[in-house]
Amino acid sequence: MEPLAHNIRPFKVADVIGQKHLLGENKVLSNLINNKKLFSMILYGPPGTGKTTLAYAIINELDLPFGFLNAVINSKKDFDEMVYKAKENDNFVLIMDEIHRLNKDKQDLLLPYLENGIITLIGMTTANPYHSINPAIRSRCQLFEFKPLSVDDIKEGLNKSLKLLDKIEITDEAIDYIANLAGGDLRYAYNLLEVAYYSTKDFKVDLKTVQKINNKPNLYIDKNDDGYYDVISALQKSIRGSDVNASLHYLSRLIAAEDLDIIFRRLSVIAYEDIGLANPNIGPRLQAAILAAERLGLPEARIPLGEIVIEMALSPKSNSAIMAIDSALNDIYKGNVGKVPNHIKTNSKDYKYPHSYKGSYVKQQYLPDELINQKYYIPKTTSKYEIAIKQIYDKIQNK
């Protein structure tokens, strides 16, 4: 009953599919194996890209004693047992999944044995180790990034797996479809192929067979992993960069994942952070699009969202508002606050009421003495609206 993805796992590093930047002739990991020298390392990247597969292939090829732990599931007692095994076996390798979730107790237990070489660690994670792994662990390991597999890589794996599925007949069209659907995740492709195989009466798999099981792409935007935030980041940066086609692409990925909440929140941020005073009408227009999307629900919600994203991508941009408020906050956080001038304190008799003066302008100090010459708002001239308010700003400053 073991899954296909497990049964087809290769025993040699040379048989691992993909990751050509790390594996192959004169590549770093292949050279380490050929030289029979292993260092502690962390393999990170999206799921289904071969991290665990490579770890076991290395162990098998070098014939090393090893143990496997999951940083979340296994207890401190399990870690103690691994340390005991490491002391009893030279060149002991500890393979650890979900290493970014290693808590402080387990880190404190592990660190000295990594330091003195009693344990060689191969850690695997889908999270970015530069953000998620304790620096003390990270500094003792080499970090290797695994990239999503290409469609050709996925097809290579699928064709190899057919030998393990007795009597299967599958069309090239179905193989191509699964490979494209997998989104660079070979394990996902294996699992989909296996379900398709067993879902038939005669083990004949065609395009319709696969589509009945799943016709939704594997987007890899799990909220617990970097891939999710990468798509959100790419959406904002594409709109900020005025690339309307890329903006629609990343919006579509979030729509396909049916994650409307994050779309609403992120577009609201973009409206005020990146477009801002260059097009102040975009805020109300976005809220109208969000309201329409909420009322319509999917799939129709895609229409107002697509329309507003096109408008946002092609809108003039200005970050002067976020720069201004962040500059002001920076003074607050540094303690540059000062006392409120007496004449604008509550119920001050010396306060000059602007509405009593021509044009509602009156010369009086508002900033504390310590910040009297501080300027937070630096106008930009990227749009007619901000040029207009710059003229007002300059006029007031001159008065």
Side-chain angles (χ1 to χ4, degrees):
M1 295 300 292
E2 289 182 343
L4 177 63
H6 177 81
N7 287 331
I8 199 172
R9 183 167 282 162
F11 293 99
K12 293 184 178 180
V13 172
D15 293 332
V16 175
I17 293 173
Q19 311 311 328
K20 303 302 183 187
H21 61 297
L22 299 174
L23 304 170
E25 187 177 355
N26 206 29
K27 300 298 183 180
V28 57
L29 289 181
S30 295
N31 286 343
L32 288 176
I33 306 309
N34 292 336
N35 291 325
K36 300 189 183 303
K37 182 64 177 177
L38 190 61
F39 297 90
S40 289
M41 64 181 71
I42 294 172
L43 311 177
Y44 70 100
T49 51
K51 299 182 295 294
T52 304
T53 295
L54 178 63
Y56 279 110
I58 290 173
I59 295 302
N60 181 71
E61 196 154 329
L62 297 182
D63 193 24
L64 297 172
F66 75 98
F68 180 89
L69 290 176
N70 184 298
V72 179
I73 298 171
N74 292 109
S75 66
K76 187 173 179 293
K77 181 181 177 182
D78 298 322
F79 277 69
D80 286 330
E81 291 178 2
M82 289 298 166
V83 170
Y84 176 78
K85 289 181 179 179
K87 290 178 178 178
E88 295 294 312
N89 295 276
D90 292 338
N91 302 316
F92 184 82
V93 178
L94 175 59
I95 301 174
M96 187 181 300
D97 202 7
E98 303 282 353
I99 191 171
H100 64 284
R101 298 185 184 275
L102 200 64
N103 65 32
K104 188 177 184 303
D105 286 345
K106 295 170 186 175
Q107 289 174 22
D108 291 343
L109 178 65
L110 194 58
L111 280 173
Y113 300 104
L114 290 180
E115 188 74 46
N116 60 27
I118 290 178
I119 289 178
T120 298
L121 175 69
I122 302 180
M124 292 92 68
T125 177
T126 56
N128 187 329
Y130 295 99
H131 301 155
S132 59
I133 292 180
N134 183 291
I137 294 285
R138 201 171 64 228
S139 69
R140 290 162 173 81
C141 299
Q142 300 300 313
L143 274 57
F144 297 110
E145 181 180 6
F146 275 49
K147 298 178 180 180
L149 300 182
S150 69
V151 171
D152 286 340
D153 289 333
I154 301 290
K155 288 167 68 174
E156 178 187 345
L158 289 171
N159 285 318
K160 286 183 177 180
S161 71
L162 298 180
K163 300 173 185 176
L164 300 181
L165 299 173
D166 189 38
K167 297 180 181 179
I168 188 171
E169 293 181 25
I170 186 168
T171 64
D172 291 340
E173 193 178 25
I175 290 285
D176 290 344
Y177 185 77
I178 294 172
N180 281 281
L181 204 64
D185 183 339
L186 185 54
R187 182 169 53 240
Y188 177 93
Y190 285 147
N191 291 342
L192 182 53
L193 173 63
E194 190 170 21
V195 172
Y197 171 74
Y198 284 109
S199 70
T200 64
K201 188 175 182 180
D202 53 6
F203 306 120
K204 293 180 180 179
V205 177
D206 58 15
L207 179 59
K208 290 183 179 179
T209 308
V210 182
Q211 287 178 329
K212 287 177 183 177
I213 300 165
N214 194 342
N215 61 0
K216 211 172 196 180
N218 176 26
L219 299 170
Y220 181 50
I221 49 175
D222 183 343
K223 293 186 180 181
N224 296 318
D225 291 307
D226 278 356
Y228 177 75
Y229 298 100
D230 287 343
V231 173
I232 299 166
S233 173
L235 172 65
Q236 179 162 7
K237 288 170 181 171
S238 298
I239 294 176
R240 181 187 296 154
S242 301
D243 189 327
V244 67
N245 296 304
S247 302
L248 288 168
H249 170 77
Y250 294 113
L251 172 68
S252 297
R253 287 170 71 161
L254 292 169
I255 288 174
E258 301 182 0
D259 196 345
L260 291 180
D261 285 343
I262 191 60
I263 294 173
F264 299 160
R265 290 198 303 272
R266 183 56 53 166
L267 292 182
S268 296
V269 169
I270 297 167
Y272 293 96
E273 178 181 346
D274 295 305
I275 297 173
L277 292 170
N279 182 4
N281 288 327
I282 204 69
R285 289 182 61 77
L286 172 61
Q287 292 310 308
I290 289 173
L291 181 61
E294 286 178 327
R295 287 182 174 177
L296 291 170
L298 289 171
E300 287 82 3
R302 75 190 189 282
I303 304 169
L305 291 175
E307 182 176 318
I308 195 66
V309 162
I310 291 170
E311 186 175 351
M312 291 173 74
L314 298 178
S315 171
K317 311 294 191 302
S318 173
N319 67 345
S320 59
I322 186 175
M323 297 296 287
I325 188 62
D326 283 353
S327 179
L329 282 169
N330 189 47
D331 266 346
I332 304 303
Y333 295 143
K334 289 193 298 186
N336 296 337
V337 288
K339 293 183 178 180
V340 175
N342 289 328
H343 58 277
I344 58 171
K345 287 182 178 178
T346 307
N347 299 323
S348 171
K349 295 179 181 179
D350 298 322
Y351 173 58
K352 297 177 182 178
Y353 187 56
H355 296 293
S356 299
Y357 295 82
K358 183 179 179 180
S360 294
Y361 299 131
V362 58
K363 186 175 178 61
Q364 67 181 334
Q365 179 183 335
Y366 293 96
L367 277 169
D369 290 341
E370 294 85 345
L371 299 171
I372 190 66
N373 294 315
Q374 183 64 278
K375 288 182 171 57
Y376 299 117
Y377 174 56
I378 310 297
K380 291 197 170 186
T381 55
T382 54
S383 70
K384 291 181 180 179
Y385 180 84
E386 198 159 8
I387 289 172
I389 63 173
K390 180 182 184 300
Q391 292 171 349
I392 298 171
Y393 176 80
D394 291 340
K395 182 179 178 181
I396 294 171
Q397 293 298 307
N398 290 335
K399 282 183 177 292

